Amino acid sequence: CPDNDLDEMLLSLSEFSEKSSSFFRPYLGALVQRLCEIATNTTVSNSVRNKSILCLVSIAEGSPEMCQYDESYYAPVFESLIKISSEINDGSPWEYDTNNTSPYQTALDSIGVLANVIELKNIFSHIYQLVVSYLSKDNVTWQIAYASISALSCIDLESIYNREFFEIISMFLNMD
């Protein structure tokens, strides 16, 4: 499929997903797998990659409860978004720029959106294990470390664990 046609199809899919994500429930695993393949494919245009990422987010926005309980959604999506986020390089801008349309920035933004849309209490351990697996490898690149830590920083742990938990830990560690 030519990039231009794929670009238009992904835009339509994203718009449909925002309203009717549950339509995809029987095909969710296959659809997510294909969208992740497109999003991580560095040989297609950035526009197509970004629209694929936006489709993944639109599916969650349209049906967050479906996505937070279905590992065929959240496992490949977060893995792909962290992988794409690690495409940052030495020449990339460090300050947030709304005009930055690089897939790594779209992926970072999407992790933040998903952290707000999906009840992460159900999938935090999966994300945490994924990040630990990346960071515990020998010769981990700064890009992987940056993407992994950025993914964790999007998660509001107080919303996952109650505030009392943090107060007890804070008192135990003598931190205020």
Side-chain angles (χ1 to χ4, degrees), residues 85-103:
S85 298
S86 72
E87 293 173 11
I88 191 168
N89 60 45
D90 291 326
S92 300
W94 286 98
E95 297 81 30
Y96 184 77
D97 180 2
T98 56
N99 297 318
N100 184 352
T101 59
S102 298

Side-chain angles (χ1 to χ4, degrees), residues 82 108 131 135 143-155:
I82 292 171
L108 286 171
V131 166
L135 295 178
Q143 291 93 340
I144 290 289
Y146 172 81
S148 299
I149 293 167
S150 294
L152 283 181
S153 73
C154 291
I155 299 170

